[in-house]
Amino acid sequence: MADPANTKLGRMLLDEITPVVMVLRTPLVEESCRKNGLSLIEMLAPYSNFNNIDVPVRTASDQPYRLRKFKLRLFYDSEIRQPNIEAAKERLKQVITRAGDKDFSDQCSDPPDIESLVATSQQEFVPSWFQNFNKELVDAVSFSEHEAFDHPVACLVAVSSKDKDPIGKFVDLFNTNQLPSLLNDGAMDPKILKYFLLVHDNQDGELEKATGVLTAMRSTFGANDCRLLCINSSADGMEEHQENPWASYKNIASNSKQLGCFLNVDDIEELRNTMHDLSSKHIIPHMELKIRVLNQQVSATRKGFRNQIKNLWWRKGKDDAPENPNGPMYTFSSTESQIRVLGDYAFMLRDYELALSNYRLISTDYKLDKAWKHYAGVQEMMGLAYFMLDQSRKDAEYCMENAFTTYLKIGSSGGRNVTRCGIWWAEMLKARGQFKDAAGVYFRISGEEPLHSAVMLEQASYCFLSSTPTMLRKYGFHLVLSGDLYKKSDQIKHAIRTYRGALSVFKGTTWNHIRDHVHFHIGKWYAFLGMFDEAIKHILEVLACGHQSKATQELFLWDFFRIVQETGKTFEVFRLQLPVINFPSIKIVFEDHRTYASPSAAIVRESLWQSLEGDMIPSLSAMKTNWLDSKVLPKKYKESNVCVAGEAIKVDISFRNPLQIPVSISNVSLICKHSAEYDETESDAIGSLTECHNDKELRTISVSGDFSLDTSLFTLSEVDISMQGGETMLVQLTVTPKIEGTLKLVGVRWKLSASVIGICNFHSDIIRKKVAKGKRKLKQVKDNLQFLVIKSLPRLEGVVDDLPKTVYAGELRRLTLELRNPSKISVKNLKMRISHPRFLNIAAQEVMNSEFPTCLRKQENSSQSCTQMDAAKAANSVFVFPETTANSWETPLKWPLWFRAAAAGSISLYMTIYYEMEDASSVITYRTLRMHYNLEVLPSLEVSLQTSPCPSRLQEFLVRMDVVNRTSSESFLVHQLSCVGDQWELALLRPIDSAVSFELLMAGQAMSCFFKLKYGRRQGSTEEKISSLATSGRADVRLVDSDSGGLFDTSISPFDLFHHYERLHQERHEQGSDGVGIMGHGSTVDFILIFESQRESNAGLPSTTEVFSHHKCHCKIASNSPIWWLMDGPRTVRHDFSAAFCEINLSMTVYNSSEDVVSVRISTLDSTSAINSASVSGNEVGWHDTSHLSEIKVTSDVMGTRFGKALSPESVSPFIWSGSSSTRFNLEPLSSVVVPLQISVFSPGTFDLSNYSLHWNLVTSCDGGDDDEHGSRVSSGTCQGHSYHITVLQKE
Amino acid sequence: MANTACFMIVSKNDIPIYEAEVGTVPKKEDAAHQHQFILHAALDIVQDMAWTTSAMFLKAIDRFNDLVVSVYIKVIHTRLMLLHDSRNDDGIKSFFQEVHELYIKTLLNPLYLPGSRITSSHFDTKVRALARKYL
């Protein structure tokens, strides 16, 4: 470690603990000095500080040493007393305030980075005024009675030569009545060294008079103690001093007069000599002498074993003396005081060893006497002496701590001394690098008085910063603590300074309460000072404080608004955090050639639209060449988005309120830049302009600024919203360009609570753009906020009227598509495509005029146009509107649509309408209108149909229909069942009578009914088809009793239209079912069930009937074989078995329903076991099972049938087939053959004649091209015989 | 139970990942930031101490007025910090151990990203229950 004297504390001690000279002067002396703008003390002060006095000093020891530095402290007699506490406080406050003002001016810049702060040396960041402050604090406790180093060592008596009777004045000045109380009340020896100075002002008179007085003085007071001081030798008062020695001593440089302007070089030399003479020839020798004298006395009375015992004994006796720690217990003549004086003198003359030994001696005495203040003072000096000796750090610290705690113990009277002691202690620790401990000491000094504590805490914080390792967090914390105290004592500038320092630590911290606290308070304090820009900047940081309590949020917000109001201006804040914008959710919807009928259409995926529009729009490349050839446009056009003048660009922005309190947002609008040119450079300039515009974080705007200009180019929508706490809101903003050119979306602006304007810029990369055009998208990712505005184009508006939101499955409706063209320019080539033809389809325009649903009913004059199926086919791809309609419409174009809720569930319907501009000069030659509807389809009736061959008749089937009402409340009336196809005839199994009438089917109710289905082509004549009622092939059965209306004609649109799509749909679902193709129409059958619902409408209006249809396609008819057969013969035979066995003739009718020639072989089997084995083989199992099902008659008595079959093996051949066991024949297509059969029965009974089988073979299956894939599998087969029961009875 | 107690888990990047006021005294408005300040400042001391001792439980390593900071350092340098005004060292130690266990369970959750904020309400109720039990 360096020499203790060179440390900060050392210098401080050498400054502070120096001999005090009391100065007495007459008013005239003061007057002379005032001419220079200085008082006498101030004039002398620079010369009482000796840097190299080089005086030999010999104290108690015999070894002399030389004193290099020396200093005298000069005080007027009036100042030699304990300073007034209030005055001292005031002075301290002044020091701080001044420092605050001075420092604050350069504090407005950003706080330095904390890393660089640590890197700089300690002295740089510690404010310099701390030293002054500490000095003032130390001075505040000077002239205490328990310490001797402030006691005047000498007295300088100055009288002017102008005074009358100078000798008398000298005597008068040292009149005891006017002397400080310290000398009078016995705390110190009044007999001190006197030095007489005659001050002569050269401007006032001749030197002779003064020398005369001096001679008189010499004779009166002694030759050595008198001196003449001539000042003001310079007549003109223009004396310039190279380096003004007074500058550092004179605090207030307020007077413009040059300090010391009347003092010339001679005067200064004389001043210097006077002081040198005073110190080296008088004060130092006087102190040496006194030390020696006192030392002898102390040695005589206190040193040595005997004296110590005596002392102890005597002290013990004094124990019960009344305690009076405040009163002057020790007069100057007491031994204790003398030892103390001896110690202090020795300290002042740098004989620390001597000082220490005396302090040690006295400290035990004071301790025994319980004179705690004295004790603490001595301990303090011991600590300092240890420090100056640079030995035994532990002892030094122990002494300082001892002193500190003792001062603390004695309470208020030691209050100031605590501070001084603490400062010295802390300085001592700092000098030794123990910064952390020093910080602790500073922390302990900070007492009740806020201002002092603030300064001390700030010093503590700097200690933390200088400690190793650097304790940044402690630094920040103590700065904040000190800032709070500064604020408490109204030193706002200091408070801000400390907080800013802390901010460098807490910047970007995740400790949210800390960050909020610091920013909020800085902001508030800046507002106090009227620096609103800074204030708002800081408060903005805490606005989005979702984690704070509601009350705090309110406080923050309220303060913020108050500050903003105080500014009286409208602030524009870049990136205001309230409300928060959710950037990824920003969506931009614009319309170029794609237009959207509803917002919901715009959010549908682009690829979906593209797939829908695929073949409708001209190909991209073709279009491109078109306009590139016709128009020479800059390349930029390709890269930016196109929008049409007069059509709005919509931007969806979601705002979130992070607070728990409601906020109101008004005037939310977009910021846009419009430039009329396509020119690249132009737009660049605007771009850069915008950039620098936004670089400033805050700016005030004039409300009537450039925005009024902009309104001619485009219009912006404004939205006002008020958000509840924590709410998220989606706001749609629009901008409508009016003039061709380039439009750029810059950002969004809003007004928070009508006082602050928030601005937020969009960045191209953070916005997920809604619409992109395939290939182009890749190229122009970064430019998607830029729009090329082209001149206005016609834009169709379309709507589907009364499309329901919720329907029951199967419901049929007629809807109207309404298209409107608001512009003057006409469009042509309208085309439309619908995504789900199963749900929505185009109707013929005539339907518009007819009444729904009555038009669906069968009419006598069946003049329905037969082109319906063509329309349906067309709608499958693209529907082209007739050319006549494609004009500019005053009245909207209406076109009917059929709607049928085909399946339950949620469904999205997409429609797109393509049209071309009449005006081919435009950049965009065509546009599409995209419409999107969502609807929910609820389940209504669940229908299942089952067909099985009628066992008793050829080519007849039984159809079972099970209907369950799946709705919760709706009831339906089953109206009719239709069968599609001209070859079918459908009838109820039993005619409707009142008992089995199908009434309303209530919710949850189930119903079954049976039908007979007849294959109507048995007669084979095509001409009959024409004459039949079902012209286009429908067989209908009415299921309602009441004559509520005629049957619906299922052969016309929309039934056949939707049936077509249902067929396609259900076919797709039934892939893999056999025999669809091979049997033609014969294998499957389609049914349409039509049911109605009576909807009760409001009173007055008749209840409307809603029509529902259910399509069941591809109902498989049981048999998959091309052949049909029927066993015919008697059921009951009576025979006399006594005569002979019974021969029964049967006939089997075999019918070939296929288009090919079939070869059939009938094998009769007598052994039942053979049947069983045959039935197991391969493919035929399924068929066998099916035939089992077919045996289910009306009631399912499967078990009964099986039982019968199981019985048959037991009877041992009760009958045999007669004739050949195998018959083979060929069947022409669609023809039948009757084969005779015969059995012989040997005993009466009931027999099941099912033990035969039919083997069939497609003869010409190879050249049948349509079913190649099936050919190998189903070109042949075996069918088990149907059961045929015959009862043979014994004839009586 | 302590009158004032503020419990906090600080991740190794000095980011608070969990904080709870577990004292019985109703929370004052300005207490939140004061507690954060004290605990934040105490991190400096913890940083010093952590490398000088092998103990996990560092009791009363820092104080501010009558509030004391005790710290439990995990191996991965996550710190459980408690600001308290009681002198119940055993209770605090047990509290730390139990919370440590809870924290490890949280870490085992595959959906929890180590170093992120602990938002589990289950964890919160458990910690508060432990605080009632031990502090």
Side-chain angles (χ1 to χ4, degrees):
Chain A
M1 197 180 69
D3 177 23
N6 282 336
T7 61
K8 207 164 153 194
L9 176 63
R11 285 198 300 270
M12 206 159 140
L13 289 179
L14 293 185
D15 258 11
E16 288 299 315
I17 305 184
T18 50
V20 171
V21 175
M22 182 166 70
V23 178
L24 306 170
R25 85 288 186 213
T26 59
L28 281 172
V29 176
E30 194 66 26
E31 195 184 302
S32 307
C33 296
R34 280 285 162 211
K35 287 178 183 171
N36 292 303
L38 298 163
S39 68
L40 176 62
I41 285 183
E42 281 164 356
M43 199 162 78
L44 293 175
Y47 307 105
S48 55
N49 196 0
F50 310 100
N51 276 329
N52 196 3
I53 192 168
D54 203 14
V55 176
V57 179
R58 199 170 64 88
T59 52
S61 64
D62 291 336
Q63 193 66 37
Y65 60 94
R66 302 190 85 85
L67 212 55
R68 298 277 166 194
K69 281 186 173 177
F70 196 64
K71 192 189 168 183
L72 293 177
R73 286 184 291 162
L74 306 177
F75 289 98
Y76 290 133
D77 53 342
S78 58
E79 289 170 348
I80 299 191
R81 57 186 162 87
Q82 292 203 21
N84 184 5
I85 292 185
E86 290 307 314
K89 220 186 253 179
E90 197 52 48
R91 215 166 53 237
L92 284 172
K93 201 169 164 182
Q94 271 178 15
V95 170
I96 292 172
T97 313
R98 223 167 24 237
D101 291 341
K102 193 160 73 66
D103 275 5
F104 194 70
S105 53
D106 51 66
Q107 278 290 329
C108 290
S109 55
D110 272 336
D113 188 36
I114 191 63
E115 301 301 329
S116 63
L117 199 62
V118 173
T120 57
S121 70
Q122 185 202 347
Q123 301 305 322
E124 282 174 51
F125 54 78
V126 178
S128 54
W129 57 272
F130 277 154
Q131 289 209 23
N132 291 336
F133 180 80
N134 287 348
K135 189 171 178 305
E136 290 288 345
L137 267 183
V138 171
D139 286 348
V141 285
S142 53
F143 306 111
S144 60
E145 75 285 346
H146 71 285
E147 287 156 330
F149 54 77
D150 284 332
H151 295 183
V153 173
C155 178
L156 181 70
V157 191
V159 171
S160 173
S161 56
K162 282 191 290 180
D163 280 314
K164 292 181 185 119
D165 183 18
I167 310 293
K169 287 280 181 203
F170 278 124
V171 179
D172 280 349
L173 278 176
F174 203 75
N175 192 328
T176 42
N177 295 335
Q178 289 161 22
L179 286 182
S181 60
L182 205 57
L183 274 79
N184 286 336
D185 61 8
M188 62 179 289
D189 192 353
K191 292 199 230 40
I192 56 172
L193 177 73
K194 295 189 193 72
Y195 191 75
F196 303 96
L197 190 67
L198 183 66
V199 178
H200 176 70
D201 192 340
N202 271 343
Q203 290 178 334
D204 291 341
E206 292 305 308
L207 199 59
E208 282 75 36
K209 187 189 166 197
T211 43
V213 176
L214 182 65
T215 324
M217 278 166 64
R218 289 218 166 115
S219 58
T220 316
F221 305 112
N224 287 335
D225 296 342
C226 301
R227 197 180 168 97
L228 175 67
L229 178 66
C230 292
I231 56 169
N232 296 354
S233 308
S234 172
D236 52 1
M238 297 304 286
E239 203 66 38
E240 293 284 333
H241 299 280
Q242 282 294 313
E243 37 189 67
N244 201 319
W246 296 279
S248 58
Y249 291 87
K250 184 88 176 173
N251 280 329
I252 309 157
S254 56
N255 41 359
S256 53
K257 202 159 73 173
Q258 181 77 33
L259 292 176
C261 54
F262 289 104
L263 301 172
N264 67 6
V265 184
D266 292 342
D267 291 341
I268 288 171
E269 193 56 36
E270 197 155 344
L271 281 170
R272 185 172 290 139
N273 287 337
T274 307
M275 291 315 286
H276 193 271
D277 184 56
L278 175 65
S279 54
S280 61
K281 294 218 176 105
H282 295 88
I283 292 178
I284 295 175
H286 172 76
M287 287 170 77
E288 280 177 310
L289 188 69
K290 189 145 190 187
I291 286 173
R292 279 199 292 272
V293 168
L294 286 172
N295 197 31
Q296 271 181 2
Q297 277 184 24
V298 170
S299 303
T301 53
R302 303 298 297 278
K303 295 267 169 74
F305 185 68
R306 201 166 58 99
N307 285 334
Q308 284 192 1
I309 298 289
K310 206 168 76 181
N311 184 39
L312 267 175
W313 181 257
W314 181 69
R315 299 272 164 196
K316 275 254 173 76
K318 260 178 69 177
D319 247 359
D320 43 354
E323 296 246 342
N324 188 9
N326 296 329
M329 263 167 80
Y330 309 99
T331 55
F332 66 91
S333 51
S334 69
T335 322
E336 289 83 3
S337 290
Q338 283 181 346
I339 297 172
R340 169 79 209 212
V341 168
L342 175 59
D344 283 346
Y345 275 27
F347 197 94
M348 283 190 272
L349 288 181
R350 321 276 160 86
D351 190 352
Y352 300 115
E353 300 275 6
L354 181 63
L356 187 60
S357 69
N358 282 296
Y359 288 141
R360 244 189 240 141
L361 189 65
I362 190 97
S363 88
T364 47
D365 290 354
Y366 284 141
K367 196 173 183 180
L368 284 171
D369 286 348
K370 297 197 167 56
W372 295 119
K373 196 167 178 179
H374 290 77
Y375 173 69
V378 169
Q379 285 286 333
E380 197 178 351
M381 292 311 291
M382 276 171 73
L384 294 178
Y386 273 125
F387 173 75
M388 294 307 279
L389 283 171
D390 195 17
Q391 63 183 36
S392 182
R393 291 179 179 198
K394 269 236 175 70
D395 284 344
E397 268 174 52
Y398 173 77
C399 288
M400 291 313 282
E401 176 148 23
N402 210 350
F404 190 81
T405 46
T406 312
Y407 275 132
L408 273 183
K409 204 162 64 185
I410 57 175
S412 60
S413 64
R416 297 271 164 173
N417 294 84
V418 173
T419 315
R420 186 189 64 184
C421 179
I423 288 172
W424 279 344
W425 185 13
E427 286 295 340
M428 185 194 290
L429 292 168
K430 271 156 83 176
R432 291 179 174 166
Q434 294 166 289
F435 287 103
K436 209 169 114 186
D437 300 328
V441 173
Y442 277 127
F443 191 79
R444 283 171 73 179
I445 306 173
S446 60
E448 301 86 52
E449 210 170 329
L451 191 54
H452 292 185
S453 310
V455 181
M456 290 308 149
L457 285 171
E458 195 181 345
Q459 297 195 54
S461 72
Y462 292 124
C463 286
F464 280 120
L465 190 57
S466 347
S467 70
T468 43
T470 313
M471 301 179 119
L472 285 179
R473 303 184 192 94
K474 286 269 181 195
Y475 165 67
F477 181 38
H478 283 83
L479 276 180
V480 167
L481 287 176
S482 120
D484 285 341
L485 290 172
Y486 274 129
K487 170 69 187 49
K488 220 181 246 175
S489 41
D490 288 332
Q491 296 287 342
I492 291 176
K493 288 175 180 173
H494 280 292
I496 291 176
R497 188 174 50 79
T498 51
Y499 262 62
R500 289 175 65 90
L503 199 60
S504 61
V505 179
F506 295 128
K507 194 185 275 171
T509 183
T510 47
W511 295 60
N512 40 30
H513 285 285
I514 293 179
R515 193 198 56 216
D516 290 353
H517 177 85
V518 173
H519 277 296
F520 175 65
H521 282 88
I522 294 185
K524 217 163 86 173
W525 294 336
Y526 269 125
F528 267 122
L529 298 178
M531 300 173 66
F532 297 113
D533 283 5
E534 290 286 319
I536 286 175
K537 200 167 92 188
H538 282 287
I539 293 224
L540 275 177
E541 296 274 337
V542 299
L543 274 190
C545 51
H547 54 275
Q548 293 279 13
S549 68
K550 195 174 171 182
T552 316
Q553 292 176 1
E554 262 166 6
L555 175 75
F556 286 177
L557 207 59
W558 188 82
D559 267 344
F560 177 63
F561 288 140
R562 193 179 48 78
I563 291 167
V564 169
Q565 272 165 19
E566 272 176 35
T567 63
K569 290 179 280 188
T570 311
F571 268 97
E572 220 170 64
V573 178
F574 187 57
R575 290 234 177 114
L576 183 63
Q577 287 296 302
L578 195 70
V580 179
I581 295 178
N582 184 11
F583 276 106
S585 74
I586 293 178
K587 277 186 288 188
I588 301 177
V589 177
F590 65 96
E591 300 182 332
D592 41 11
H593 64 268
R594 305 157 290 197
T595 62
Y596 301 96
S598 62
S600 66
I603 60 171
V604 175
R605 269 202 331 278
E606 173 70 11
S607 60
L608 219 146
W609 290 121
Q610 277 178 351
S611 67
L612 195 62
E613 289 164 3
D615 45 353
M616 214 157 59
I617 59 172
S619 72
L620 200 65
S621 58
M623 186 196 73
K624 238 181 196 171
T625 51
N626 270 344
W627 58 256
L628 270 181
D629 290 344
S630 61
K631 286 188 180 313
V632 184
L633 278 173
K635 273 187 182 169
K636 200 164 178 298
Y637 172 76
K638 276 187 287 184
E639 279 141 29
S640 66
N641 306 309
V642 179
C643 68
V644 180
E647 291 178 20
I649 298 171
K650 294 171 190 152
V651 181
D652 287 341
I653 301 172
S654 91
F655 287 102
R656 186 172 58 83
N657 179 8
L659 303 183
Q660 294 168 33
I661 41 180
V663 293
S664 82
I665 315 288
S666 58
N667 299 40
V668 186
S669 69
L670 293 169
I671 310 171
C672 298
K673 291 277 163 198
H674 189 283
S675 62
E677 299 298 319
Y678 294 124
D679 197 6
E680 186 89 31
T681 55
E682 171 78 5
S683 71
D684 271 358
I686 285 174
S688 61
L689 183 89
T690 322
E691 283 307 309
C692 72
H693 215 50
N694 292 318
D695 276 347
K696 291 202 290 178
E697 295 202 331
L698 284 171
R699 67 187 165 116
T700 39
I701 51 137
S702 51
V703 183
S704 61
D706 48 354
F707 284 91
S708 60
L709 177 79
D710 284 347
T711 49
S712 63
L713 300 172
F714 52 84
T715 49
L716 297 166
S717 70
E718 287 199 343
V719 182
D720 297 349
I721 52 174
S722 79
M723 303 172 80
Q724 296 301 308
E727 200 180 9
T728 301
M729 231 177 218
L730 192 74
V731 175
Q732 188 177 66
L733 303 171
T734 60
V735 55
T736 313
K738 287 181 176 169
I739 301 175
E740 292 169 67
T742 315
L743 183 77
K744 187 170 167 61
L745 298 185
V746 178
V748 64
R749 47 183 282 136
W750 65 92
K751 211 168 192 180
L752 176 64
S753 296
S755 52
V756 183
I757 294 176
I759 289 184
C760 202
N761 275 14
F762 298 143
H763 297 288
S764 314
D765 50 330
I766 54 176
I767 294 173
R768 181 173 56 88
K769 199 160 68 90
K770 177 65 200 99
V771 223
K773 311 170 200 166
K775 229 190 328 182
R776 277 193 206 176
K777 188 187 179 184
L778 297 170
K779 270 194 276 179
Q780 53 146 44
V781 171
K782 65 182 173 79
D783 212 14
N784 51 17
L785 293 172
Q786 189 123 357
F787 292 92
L788 188 76
V789 185
I790 60 171
K791 70 175 179 182
S792 66
L793 291 174
R795 180 180 179 277
L796 287 193
E797 290 163 9
V799 67
V800 175
D801 287 336
D802 2 289
L803 188 74
K805 285 273 168 238
T806 314
V807 287
Y808 285 103
E811 183 162 351
L812 262 177
R813 288 203 188 189
R814 185 187 62 192
L815 307 173
T816 315
L817 169 71
E818 211 173 297
L819 289 175
R820 223 183 284 271
N821 182 6
S823 77
K824 294 279 174 282
I825 310 162
S826 60
V827 297
K828 59 183 182 182
N829 279 348
L830 267 80
K831 298 179 202 167
M832 180 164 84
R833 187 153 178 203
I834 297 169
S835 64
H836 290 77
R838 201 177 149 214
F839 281 83
L840 196 64
N841 221 319
I842 303 277
Q845 200 175 10
E846 305 90 84
V847 180
M848 279 304 295
N849 308 320
S850 50
E851 198 189 341
F852 182 84
T854 37
C855 65
L856 302 181
R857 307 216 186 250
K858 251 173 212 172
Q859 273 131 26
E860 274 61 41
N861 48 345
S862 56
S863 63
Q864 296 285 345
S865 70
C866 292
T867 58
Q868 300 306 319
M869 211 54 196
D870 298 341
K873 293 249 168 65
N876 191 15
S877 53
V878 175
F879 174 75
V880 181
F881 286 91
E883 199 59 38
T884 50
T885 57
N887 278 318
S888 180
W889 310 298
E890 287 76 28
T891 53
L893 167 71
K894 291 193 176 186
W895 200 272
L897 294 175
W898 289 119
F899 168 77
R900 177 174 170 270
S906 293
I907 184 83
S908 293
L909 297 175
Y910 309 102
M911 301 165 67
T912 176
I913 296 173
Y914 166 89
Y915 52 98
E916 285 176 13
M917 307 301 138
E918 203 68 69
D919 171 21
S921 67
S922 172
V923 175
I924 289 178
T925 52
Y926 71 91
R927 301 189 94 173
T928 53
L929 171 65
R930 294 164 169 187
M931 295 153 87
H932 172 238
Y933 293 96
N934 270 321
L935 54 115
E936 196 182 359
V937 182
L938 303 174
S940 54
L941 292 191
E942 190 178 286
V943 181
S944 61
L945 285 154
Q946 204 169 46
T947 48
S948 54
C950 184
S952 56
R953 261 181 234 152
L954 198 62
Q955 297 196 330
E956 268 195 31
F957 299 89
L958 287 171
V959 178
R960 186 172 97 181
M961 180 177 72
D962 294 311
V963 182
V964 183
N965 188 347
R966 289 293 182 197
T967 63
S968 54
S969 59
E970 205 74 14
S971 50
F972 296 101
L973 188 67
V974 180
H975 188 268
Q976 80 178 63
L977 180 72
S978 300
C979 186
V980 180
D982 49 3
Q983 69 272 44
W984 298 106
E985 285 171 17
L986 190 69
L988 271 175
L989 197 62
R990 272 188 292 175
I992 300 170
D993 55 7
S994 57
V996 288
S997 172
F998 305 111
E999 284 303 320
L1000 273 178
L1001 202 59
M1002 307 304 280
Q1005 197 181 351
M1007 179 190 86
S1008 295
C1009 56
F1010 297 90
F1011 301 93
K1012 208 157 59 183
L1013 183 68
K1014 201 169 175 184
Y1015 188 57
R1017 241 178 9 182
R1018 185 173 43 169
Q1019 278 74 28
S1021 50
T1022 46
E1023 61 274 3
E1024 196 177 349
K1025 190 170 81 183
I1026 300 163
S1027 64
S1028 76
L1029 186 71
T1031 35
S1032 49
R1034 293 294 188 273
D1036 306 321
V1037 169
R1038 178 188 298 193
L1039 296 173
V1040 276
D1041 194 16
S1042 58
D1043 197 21
S1044 62
L1047 289 171
F1048 289 103
D1049 188 355
T1050 54
S1051 64
I1052 57 160
S1053 184
F1055 291 115
D1056 76 326
L1057 192 68
F1058 287 120
H1059 183 75
H1060 174 76
Y1061 290 107
E1062 278 297 321
R1063 259 189 84 85
L1064 287 178
H1065 176 76
Q1066 293 186 14
E1067 184 176 14
R1068 240 174 280 132
H1069 279 250
E1070 289 174 16
Q1071 283 169 353
S1073 66
D1074 307 287
V1076 176
I1078 185 167
M1079 292 300 118
H1081 286 294
S1083 65
T1084 61
V1085 65
D1086 299 347
F1087 294 100
I1088 302 175
L1089 179 73
I1090 296 174
F1091 49 101
E1092 289 177 334
S1093 153
Q1094 296 286 335
R1095 184 136 313 164
E1096 294 300 326
S1097 57
N1098 294 338
L1101 290 164
S1103 60
T1104 56
T1105 307
E1106 288 175 359
V1107 181
F1108 296 77
S1109 69
H1110 186 91
H1111 300 255
K1112 185 80 182 171
C1113 302
H1114 307 297
C1115 288
K1116 202 158 64 175
I1117 295 167
S1119 168
N1120 285 60
S1121 71
I1123 49 169
W1124 302 75
W1125 75 94
L1126 195 66
M1127 193 77 88
D1128 212 3
R1131 293 282 172 164
T1132 311
V1133 176
R1134 286 178 184 277
H1135 183 73
D1136 186 7
F1137 282 97
S1138 57
F1141 58 88
C1142 174
E1143 285 188 341
I1144 301 167
N1145 283 319
L1146 301 162
S1147 66
M1148 181 187 272
T1149 315
V1150 183
Y1151 175 71
N1152 177 13
S1153 65
S1154 76
E1155 311 284 334
D1156 298 304
V1157 178
V1158 177
S1159 149
V1160 180
R1161 179 166 58 89
I1162 300 169
S1163 316
T1164 53
L1165 308 159
D1166 288 334
S1167 146
T1168 49
S1169 59
I1171 300 168
N1172 284 343
S1173 68
S1175 70
V1176 180
S1177 64
N1179 243 350
E1180 292 123 36
V1181 175
W1183 298 342
H1184 184 76
D1185 280 347
T1186 321
S1187 77
H1188 267 256
L1189 276 174
S1190 73
E1191 283 171 5
I1192 302 167
K1193 298 187 98 180
V1194 177
T1195 53
S1196 57
D1197 53 355
V1198 184
M1199 286 315 292
T1201 330
R1202 288 246 170 99
F1203 185 63
K1205 287 192 93 166
L1207 270 180
S1208 54
E1210 287 176 7
S1211 52
V1212 182
S1213 304
F1215 67 95
I1216 54 164
W1217 295 93
S1218 320
S1220 65
S1221 64
S1222 161
T1223 317
R1224 180 184 289 273
F1225 51 91
N1226 276 3
L1227 261 176
E1228 291 300 310
L1230 302 176
S1231 64
S1232 57
V1233 152
V1234 178
V1235 181
L1237 292 172
Q1238 192 183 47
I1239 56 166
S1240 304
V1241 180
F1242 305 110
S1243 62
T1246 304
F1247 307 104
D1248 180 9
L1249 306 182
S1250 65
N1251 51 349
Y1252 64 93
S1253 60
L1254 269 77
H1255 303 268
W1256 54 270
N1257 237 341
L1258 283 188
V1259 175
T1260 52
S1261 67
C1262 297
D1263 49 87
D1266 56 340
D1267 47 9
D1268 274 345
E1269 69 272 22
H1270 300 297
S1272 61
R1273 228 177 60 193
V1274 289
S1275 61
S1276 67
T1278 304
C1279 302
Q1280 284 300 320
H1282 302 314
S1283 62
Y1284 181 83
H1285 293 268
I1286 187 162
T1287 309
V1288 183
L1289 296 171
Q1290 178 74 37
K1291 198 189 236 171
E1292 294 301 325
Chain B
M1 182 148 178
N3 290 327
T4 310
C6 176
F7 175 66
M8 201 171 238
I9 300 179
V10 182
S11 76
K12 68 166 179 281
N13 317 324
D14 295 348
I15 298 169
I17 56 174
Y18 174 79
E19 54 194 299
E21 293 283 341
V22 288
T24 45
V25 172
K27 192 180 164 186
K28 276 180 290 182
E29 199 44 60
D30 59 340
H33 75 255
Q34 197 199 15
H35 291 170
Q36 278 206 351
F37 268 125
I38 297 169
L39 287 173
H40 186 256
L43 281 177
D44 270 334
I45 309 287
V46 177
Q47 204 172 329
D48 267 7
M49 296 279 283
W51 305 110
T52 59
T53 174
S54 61
M56 291 172 95
F57 177 52
L58 308 173
K59 67 176 180 190
I61 58 153
D62 197 11
R63 60 185 67 238
F64 180 77
N65 296 341
D66 57 342
L67 298 170
V68 186
V69 180
S70 294
V71 179
Y72 194 88
I73 308 176
K74 279 175 59 66
V75 185
I76 53 171
H77 215 63
T78 302
R79 284 143 292 178
L80 315 182
M81 305 185 79
L82 183 72
L83 182 73
H84 55 96
D85 55 0
S86 68
R87 291 281 179 273
N88 179 11
D89 282 338
D90 289 342
I92 290 168
K93 192 168 184 180
S94 321
F95 172 74
F96 274 141
Q97 277 162 351
E98 300 253 343
V99 175
H100 185 193
E101 215 165 285
L102 268 180
Y103 177 68
I104 287 171
K105 282 178 188 164
T106 310
L107 277 180
L108 289 176
N109 184 350
L111 301 179
Y112 172 74
L113 183 73
S116 64
R117 207 162 239 288
I118 300 176
T119 48
S120 155
S121 60
H122 176 253
F123 184 83
D124 189 60
T125 35
K126 275 289 187 59
V127 167
R128 284 171 197 280
L130 286 174
R132 270 196 297 281
K133 188 173 163 192
Y134 288 114
L135 301 181

